[in-house]
Amino acid sequence: PCGALLLPPACCASLLRRPPFVPVIPGSALATCILLITGFAPVLLPSSLAVVFVDRWDRRWTMITSNLLLALGLLPLLAVHSRESLWIVFVVQFVESCIAQFVQPAESALLPNLVSEEQLVSANALTSVSTNTARLAGAALGGLLVGVVGLAGVTLLEAVSFLLCSVMIGLV
C-alpha cells in the first residue's frame, strides 16, 4: 500500500527518537530500560489480540484509525521538559506501541486486495524491503532531525507523517 513507504520510517524514528528524552537526565540507565520495556512489552500480548481484531475489522479503516491515533498519541511528548515529566514518555511509548500492533497485520492482510495474485510476491518483497530500509535509514534520519529541529520538531513531524499516512490510505 502507498502508506507502507511512509509509515515504517515514522515508526522507526519513533522508537529511536524517544531515547534522547532520557540520557540528559541523571540516573538515566533505569529510565532507558523502562523506555525499552514500555516500547517492546506490547509486542508480546497486545500483538496477538490485535491480529484477532484486525481479522474481524475493515483493514483499511483499521489502518486509517490506527495512524490517526498514533498521530494524536505523540502530542503529549510536547509537554516533556524535565525529569518530573519523564513519565509522559513512558506512557506515550507504551500507548504508541500498543496501537502500532494493529497496523502491520492490517497492512499485510490488505495487500492481497490491492494487487493481483501475480504481483503479490513482488508486493510482499517490496513491503519487506521498504520496511527494512526504513529501519536502517530511520535511525539516521531521526538523529539528524533531532539535531536540526529538536525533539519537539521531530514529534510534530512524526505526527504529520502519521496524518499523511491516514490520508494516503484513505485515497486507496
Side-chain angles (χ1 to χ4, degrees):
C2 61
L5 296 176
L6 185 59
L7 179 59
C11 289
C12 292
S14 172
L15 286 173
L16 295 165
R17 175 192 44 72
R18 290 195 193 113
F21 278 98
V22 176
V24 296
I25 298 167
S28 63
L30 177 61
T32 302
C33 290
I34 294 170
L35 185 67
L36 291 172
I37 290 168
T38 57
F40 292 114
V43 174
L44 301 176
L45 181 62
S47 65
S48 302
L49 295 173
V51 172
V52 172
F53 286 113
V54 168
D55 282 343
R56 290 169 171 57
W57 296 341
D58 180 276
R59 283 131 180 128
R60 187 171 159 264
W61 281 108
T62 299
M63 290 177 67
I64 290 170
T65 304
S66 295
N67 279 290
L68 290 173
L69 291 172
L70 287 166
L72 289 173
L74 289 171
L75 298 181
L77 290 178
L78 297 173
V80 177
H81 298 292
S82 68
R83 182 183 182 104
E84 289 74 36
S85 58
L86 190 60
W87 64 271
I88 296 170
V89 177
F90 303 139
V91 172
V92 168
Q93 179 79 350
F94 182 78
V95 170
E96 292 278 305
S97 187
C98 286
I99 295 168
Q101 300 311 308
F102 290 86
V103 176
Q104 197 280 324
E107 181 181 301
S108 295
L110 186 62
L111 191 60
N113 297 332
L114 299 175
V115 299
S116 67
E117 191 172 329
E118 297 82 32
Q119 296 174 324
L120 189 55
V121 172
S122 296
N124 279 324
L126 180 60
T127 299
S128 178
V129 167
S130 68
T131 299
N132 289 316
T133 301
R135 285 187 180 137
L136 292 172
L141 181 60
L144 178 68
L145 286 174
V146 166
V148 174
V149 297
L151 292 171
V154 172
T155 298
L156 292 173
L157 285 171
E158 185 179 5
V160 167
S161 75
F162 284 124
L163 293 174
L164 288 173
C165 284
S166 292
V167 169
M168 289 189 299
I169 294 165
L171 295 174
V172 173

